[in-house]
Amino acid sequence: MIPDLRDRAAALLNAYREKGLKIATAESCTGGLVAALLTEISGSSAVVERGFVTYSNEAKTELIGVPADLITAHGAVSEPVARAMAEGALARSRADVAVGITGVAGPTGGTATKPVGLVHFGFARKGAPTIHLERRYGDLGRENVRRRAVEDALSLLEQAIG
């Protein structure tokens, strides 16, 4: 998977395991890479509750309850949708925290207002307000945009446990 991120993922899983917390992911532009990285670590089943790959707008609506009118009003790549993805994953799982990721990985799909490299993150935790993070990585190539998004998702998960 992403070798230099394995140690970070293992440390994250250990910290969550020690606190008895579980994680859910709702991924669009990363296509499940965050869940794949975490579940590559032996014993991850004690922490990773489930992962949703909600690449299409319909999947966002059907699997994690993102309102279709929210997607219509703001677009799939937006702060409101990222927040709704995280909140929906939390509500539709037995997890304590959830991260939602939606963006434009490229090389196509970018616009003047939503360029390639734009990624929105939502982070939801039971009993706490949902956090939003926006990144504009630039047109680094699809693989690099997705990798950077995985790194930032890990950072959000790490900050929550810190």
Side-chain angles (χ1 to χ4, degrees), residues 56-143:
S56 71
N57 292 344
E58 294 78 13
K60 289 173 183 64
T61 299
E62 293 168 10
L63 294 177
I64 54 175
V66 176
D69 61 344
L70 192 69
I71 296 171
T72 300
H74 301 279
V77 180
S78 65
E79 176 179 344
V81 170
R83 288 176 178 274
M85 287 173 67
E87 291 165 357
L90 191 62
R92 286 165 174 75
S93 70
R94 293 184 175 99
D96 302 288
V97 301
V99 62
I101 308 163
T102 182
V104 185
T108 61
T111 66
T113 56
K114 295 183 181 185
V116 170
L118 171 64
V119 180
H120 287 276
F121 300 83
F123 182 82
R125 184 174 188 160
K126 287 183 179 175
T130 301
I131 296 168
H132 169 255
L133 174 68
E134 177 184 311
R135 290 287 192 236
R136 292 179 181 259
Y137 303 120
D139 191 353
L140 309 173
R142 186 174 184 81
E143 181 180 348

Side-chain angles (χ1 to χ4, degrees), residues 1-84:
M1 164 69 6
I2 306 174
D4 53 322
L5 292 180
R6 278 194 207 124
D7 289 344
R8 243 178 107 183
L12 176 75
L13 290 169
N14 284 335
Y16 272 77
R17 188 179 303 108
E18 286 174 8
K19 296 203 179 224
L21 298 174
K22 292 193 177 277
I23 297 169
T25 63
E27 301 181 64
S28 186
C29 66
T30 50
L33 289 174
V34 175
L37 174 66
L38 294 173
T39 58
E40 193 171 303
I41 310 297
S42 178
S44 59
S45 61
V47 174
V48 180
E49 206 281 319
R50 70 185 71 185
F52 300 92
V53 177
T54 56
Y55 208 71
S56 71
N57 292 344
E58 294 78 13
K60 289 173 183 64
T61 299
E62 293 168 10
L63 294 177
I64 54 175
V66 176
D69 61 344
L70 192 69
I71 296 171
T72 300
H74 301 279
V77 180
S78 65
E79 176 179 344
V81 170
R83 288 176 178 274

